[in-house]
Amino acid sequence: MVKLKIDGKEIEVPDHFTLIQACEEAGAEVPRFCFHERLSVAGNCRMCLVEVKGGPPKPQASCAMGVRDIRGGPNGELPEVFTNTPMVKKAREGVMEFLLINHPLDCPICDQGGECDLQDQAMAFGIDTSRYQEDKRAVEDKYIGPLVKTVMNRCIHCTRCVRFTTEVAGISELGLIGRGEDAEITTYLEQAMTSELQGNVVDLCPVGALTSKPFAFTARPWELNKTESIDVMDALGSAIRVDTRGREVMRILPRVNEAINEEWISDKTRFIWDGLKTQRLDRPYVRRDGRLQATSWGEAFGAIKAAVAGTSGNKIGAIAGDLASVEEMYALSELLKSLGSENLDCRQDGTALDPSLGRESYLFNPTIEGIEAADALLIVGANPRFEAAVLNSRIRKRWRRGKFPIGVIGDGGDMRYGYDYLGAGTETLKDVLAGTHAFAEVLKKAEKPMIIVGQGALSQANGAAVLAGVAKLAVDVGAIAEGWNGFAVLHTAASRVGGLDLGFVPGANGVNAAAMLSSMDVLFLLGADELDFAAGKAKFTVYIGSHGDNGAHNADVILPAAAYTEKSGTWVNTEGRVQMGNRAGFAPGEAREDWAILRALSDVLGKKLPFDSLNELRAKLYAAFPHFGHLDEIGAGDSAKIAALAQKAGDMGKSGFASPVKDFYLTNPIARASAVMAECSALARNNFQAAAE
């Protein structure tokens, strides 16, 4: 720790702090454009100038000087820094005058208006005149893809975007070329950016040079209602803010959550919002004469009642989709149980995860933040770049610190960091498990080894054996130890952990999702669209969901439901953290929240569920499953469950592992309804084909 004075206030800070961090700790406001806490120091905007007592007779860039670099007085006086002296004031005014020399007067038509660092700091630290009489320079706008709009006349060369793509996203797609007034930020060959995290440069840009292309010219920030919520596009549960105007979602932005997403979100999370408006189900439908026809709620419920009355409980089933919240899955499971059915499944991809093996057998036990504590990593049957882009950036963050060997069994490909490709499937995993593969020794030598197993390894016929084999490997290499559990299951579905926690899986006499498709008389699909309907179809299918996707196309009755931004719901992320999303808007037309649909349907079926409001439902839920009431908490785990799972290890057979995410941009009904995601998907396919050629 280092002691120093900031504007006469004595503080103590860690010795790795820069002066700008020390000033913030002391409560002093220091303006900045290029400095960002999560990026390397550039020191090129010079806006953060301060005066150091006893230092050179000129202002110092506080972002580029550490607290260890300044000295105290000759008699033991503490080092002193001043942030508001005449020298500092004049220096900042000069820097601002230089920055505005070439900046266009675009504020009235700039999408950054109202959220612009340059506007705010020009008001607070600038002057009202300029001595510059020459013409402003002009820079041609660049095409960098369908997501980020460029107006390069506004660029102040802070290089935040360059450092983000290189350091966090892991691909050097942006750079600064030229010198002096010819300097400009570009993609060199003016091609679309390929990173799944590129939208974050919009938040990083302190001016209006990089803005959201889909959001351009649609709304001003002060017109929007802002709702804090949770993302469901993957299983991480990233913290987001949903901005709405009236009933319409206008944009989605990240919130800071150090434990999960820091302050980044994936492009799918950020730009999915146009899919919330299109292909929506806004009224009930019943299939008559082979065609779906709009009808009333009463007639739709009547058709379901007739179908249920004509069969027995063991011929009724329910499958929950990837975006379902805990509340609606609980309501559906209670309804199915009251009808005498044990045919429930939240694993529409057939993954071999079973709550009877213990909660630790299907969680990301080391936690997302715990990745930074690991010192060796084995990835089995997963591609985190596409399955959880923000988690992948956390792996890269740890990899950049050094001494972090990574091994991959499965697809491989560009994961944005260096790794050793070990093999394609079970044969390689057996070698590592037997200790005959060199990477086994790497894991054993590590103090905190970590093994990530993905759904690509668990959704095959041998999934249970692979899960047990990976658990045995974790035990053998010391990944399960006092204070450390390195066994990590990476999920791709936001609803999966919550469903497993609820026990939304087949009972003793129940059948799984694949079997239900072809054997049920009545099948309820709770937003389940990722099923192979070509392989089989129930006699009577009821689809409860928000979009006209695969499930709705194959349904006999459609009950329109709310999307994730239109309801308050609980989700549990891949690490077992209970999170609540809040309602930002209302569902269109006659669509209703899923739990309310199920409550009304239960009354018609004569099996009335014991709640009339969401609060009553949650009271029942928390009574049956108390951990759902502990928001933003991860329940204490029991490593012994992993050891018990390891005892079940057997023959894994011979198969390859392939990531379940074939197209990052089109993984769920909302994404497939989005025109922006469709454009990104087509671009990614073209890039892949061009690379293959």
Side-chain angles (χ1 to χ4, degrees):
M1 301 292 282
V2 173
K3 285 186 178 180
L4 71 160
K5 282 186 177 180
I6 309 286
D7 294 335
K9 180 179 179 181
E10 185 177 321
I11 62 165
E12 189 174 15
V13 296
D15 62 0
H16 63 269
F17 266 34
T18 58
L19 289 186
I20 194 171
Q21 291 171 305
C23 291
E24 286 185 339
E25 195 75 16
E29 183 180 1
V30 179
R32 84 291 303 269
F33 290 114
C34 68
F35 177 78
H36 192 277
E37 291 80 357
R38 302 185 200 280
L39 304 176
S40 62
V41 173
N44 56 6
C45 78
R46 318 311 283 180
M47 194 65 202
C48 64
L49 296 172
V50 296
E51 182 179 347
V52 178
K53 185 175 181 180
K58 62 177 183 177
Q60 301 295 309
S62 59
C63 70
M65 179 174 278
V67 293
R68 289 176 295 188
D69 299 332
I70 59 175
R71 297 180 179 179
N75 300 315
E77 296 96 335
L78 292 178
E80 284 199 66
V81 176
F82 301 98
T83 66
N84 52 14
T85 61
M87 178 201 285
V88 172
K89 184 174 185 295
K90 184 178 180 182
R92 290 176 180 168
E93 287 174 352
V95 170
M96 183 59 69
E97 188 177 353
F98 269 116
L99 286 175
L100 295 179
I101 277 175
N102 284 310
H103 197 79
L105 299 174
D106 275 353
C107 297
I109 57 142
C110 178
D111 271 311
Q112 198 82 352
E115 298 175 317
C116 179
D117 291 350
L118 189 64
Q119 274 185 336
D120 297 340
Q121 293 182 37
M123 284 290 293
F125 304 103
I127 53 175
D128 59 355
T129 59
S130 173
R131 291 166 285 179
Y132 192 73
Q133 300 296 323
E134 288 77 11
D135 293 335
K136 292 179 182 289
R137 78 171 192 156
V139 183
E140 187 178 343
D141 294 342
K142 311 294 188 295
Y143 171 76
I144 59 173
L147 303 180
V148 181
K149 177 187 174 185
T150 63
V151 185
M152 301 314 292
N153 282 337
R154 302 171 186 160
C155 180
I156 61 171
H157 303 153
C158 70
T159 67
R160 280 186 181 182
C161 55
V162 176
R163 284 173 284 147
F164 173 82
T165 54
T166 304
E167 298 166 12
V168 179
I171 178 168
S172 299
E173 293 188 301
L174 288 175
L176 188 143
I177 62 171
R179 294 172 67 90
E181 73 167 357
D182 294 324
E184 52 185 281
I185 303 290
T186 178
T187 55
Y188 303 114
L189 300 178
E190 286 202 33
Q191 58 189 14
M193 296 169 68
T194 60
S195 171
E196 294 75 30
L197 298 168
Q198 62 181 276
N200 290 290
V201 300
V202 172
D203 297 331
L204 288 172
C205 185
V207 294
L210 302 176
T211 55
S212 170
K213 191 174 280 189
F215 179 68
F217 306 127
T218 58
R220 286 298 195 184
W222 55 84
E223 299 175 333
L224 305 175
N225 293 316
K226 301 164 180 66
T227 307
E228 294 186 349
S229 192
I230 297 299
D231 173 51
V232 298
M233 292 299 111
D234 54 31
L236 292 191
S238 299
I240 60 171
R241 192 186 86 194
V242 182
D243 288 1
T244 55
R245 184 173 61 188
R247 300 173 69 99
E248 192 175 350
V249 174
M250 303 302 293
R251 65 177 179 179
I252 294 173
L253 298 175
R255 289 186 293 123
V256 176
N257 187 329
E258 298 292 349
I260 302 174
N261 60 307
E262 298 181 299
E263 61 186 78
W264 319 124
I265 53 173
S266 73
D267 294 338
K268 187 163 52 176
T269 300
R270 183 185 298 270
F271 296 105
I272 199 78
W273 49 266
D274 70 313
L276 293 166
K277 309 174 198 175
T278 53
Q279 297 186 16
R280 288 302 302 268
L281 300 171
D282 59 357
R283 67 192 71 181
Y285 288 85
V286 172
R287 192 176 294 276
R288 298 191 184 100
D289 301 323
R291 295 185 62 187
L292 286 166
Q293 299 179 15
T295 187
S296 66
W297 282 99
E299 288 183 7
F301 284 166
I304 298 170
K305 181 179 180 181
V308 169
T311 188
S312 57
N314 65 343
K315 285 292 185 179
I316 301 174
I319 302 173
D322 291 349
L323 308 183
S325 71
V326 169
E327 287 85 353
E328 59 217 43
M329 285 191 285
Y330 175 71
L332 183 56
S333 66
E334 291 299 299
L335 177 59
L336 266 284
K337 288 172 187 173
S338 70
L339 294 172
S341 173
E342 295 183 358
N343 302 313
L344 302 166
D345 208 344
C346 64
R347 307 161 304 182
Q348 57 176 338
D349 57 1
T351 187
L353 295 169
D354 190 342
S356 67
L357 298 173
R359 194 167 189 250
E360 295 69 28
S361 70
Y362 56 82
L363 292 185
F364 200 93
N365 293 291
T367 73
I368 297 166
E369 208 170 13
I371 291 171
E372 296 185 37
D375 52 3
L377 173 64
L378 175 64
I379 300 174
V380 181
N383 188 334
R385 176 185 161 192
F386 299 125
E387 295 172 29
V390 175
L391 180 141
N392 199 55
S393 72
R394 185 85 74 152
I395 296 175
R396 175 175 168 78
K397 180 182 178 182
R398 172 63 187 88
W399 174 79
R400 289 184 71 236
R401 281 188 5 224
K403 296 182 180 179
F404 189 53
I406 302 174
V408 172
I409 302 176
D411 275 347
D414 182 5
M415 292 190 179
R416 307 304 197 203
Y417 41 77
Y419 64 87
D420 295 321
Y421 183 70
L422 309 183
T426 53
E427 295 296 301
T428 307
L429 181 57
K430 289 175 189 175
D431 290 343
V432 178
L433 190 54
T436 57
H437 197 290
F439 202 80
E441 196 61 31
V442 173
L443 293 172
K444 287 177 182 176
K445 286 181 179 177
E447 290 184 16
K448 291 185 175 181
M450 182 173 168
I451 304 173
I452 296 177
V453 57
Q455 304 306 298
L458 303 178
S459 56
Q460 304 179 39
N462 61 348
V466 171
L467 181 67
V470 173
K472 186 175 188 307
L473 177 60
V475 172
D476 290 350
V477 300
I480 311 297
E482 185 68 32
W484 176 253
N485 186 338
F487 178 81
V489 177
L490 179 61
H491 290 275
T492 55
S495 66
R496 188 65 50 81
V497 175
L500 293 170
D501 282 354
L502 282 173
F504 202 97
V505 293
N509 300 310
V511 297
N512 63 20
M516 281 188 227
L517 270 180
S518 53
S519 63
M520 293 295 110
D521 288 344
V522 178
L523 179 61
F524 291 91
L525 300 179
L526 188 61
D529 294 276
E530 320 305 323
L531 296 162
D532 183 8
F533 292 99
K537 190 173 179 297
K539 291 182 180 177
F540 189 89
T541 303
V542 180
Y543 180 76
I544 305 169
S546 59
H547 284 71
D549 205 76
N550 297 334
H553 294 163
N554 289 276
D556 296 291
V557 172
I558 295 175
L559 304 178
Y564 74 105
T565 57
E566 299 157 359
K567 61 188 174 188
S568 174
T570 303
W571 284 270
V572 186
N573 79 345
T574 190
E575 57 185 354
R577 188 184 302 272
V578 180
Q579 300 174 292
M580 186 171 290
N582 297 311
R583 183 171 65 191
F586 293 89
E590 298 178 42
R592 298 291 180 267
E593 293 183 44
D594 307 67
W595 72 267
I597 294 171
L598 292 164
R599 164 63 182 79
L601 176 60
S602 69
D603 211 355
V604 172
L605 297 178
K607 304 289 185 182
K608 185 177 177 181
L609 292 171
F611 47 80
D612 294 317
S613 69
L614 184 57
N615 286 338
E616 289 180 17
L617 185 159
R618 284 179 174 154
K620 298 283 185 185
L621 174 66
Y622 297 162
F625 304 94
H627 75 282
F628 285 123
H630 303 294
L631 292 180
D632 205 36
E633 292 183 18
I634 303 173
D638 182 6
S639 299
K641 297 287 179 64
I642 307 296
L645 175 60
Q647 299 296 321
K648 301 177 182 291
D651 183 27
M652 290 182 276
K654 188 174 182 178
S655 65
F657 302 143
S659 172
V661 178
K662 304 304 179 190
D663 190 330
F664 168 77
Y665 298 101
L666 304 177
T667 55
N668 59 63
I670 303 175
R672 289 189 285 269
S674 165
V676 175
M677 291 296 101
E679 187 176 354
C680 290
S681 173
L683 203 58
R685 281 198 305 274
N686 292 339
N687 289 340
F688 179 77
Q689 289 169 1
E693 292 170 0

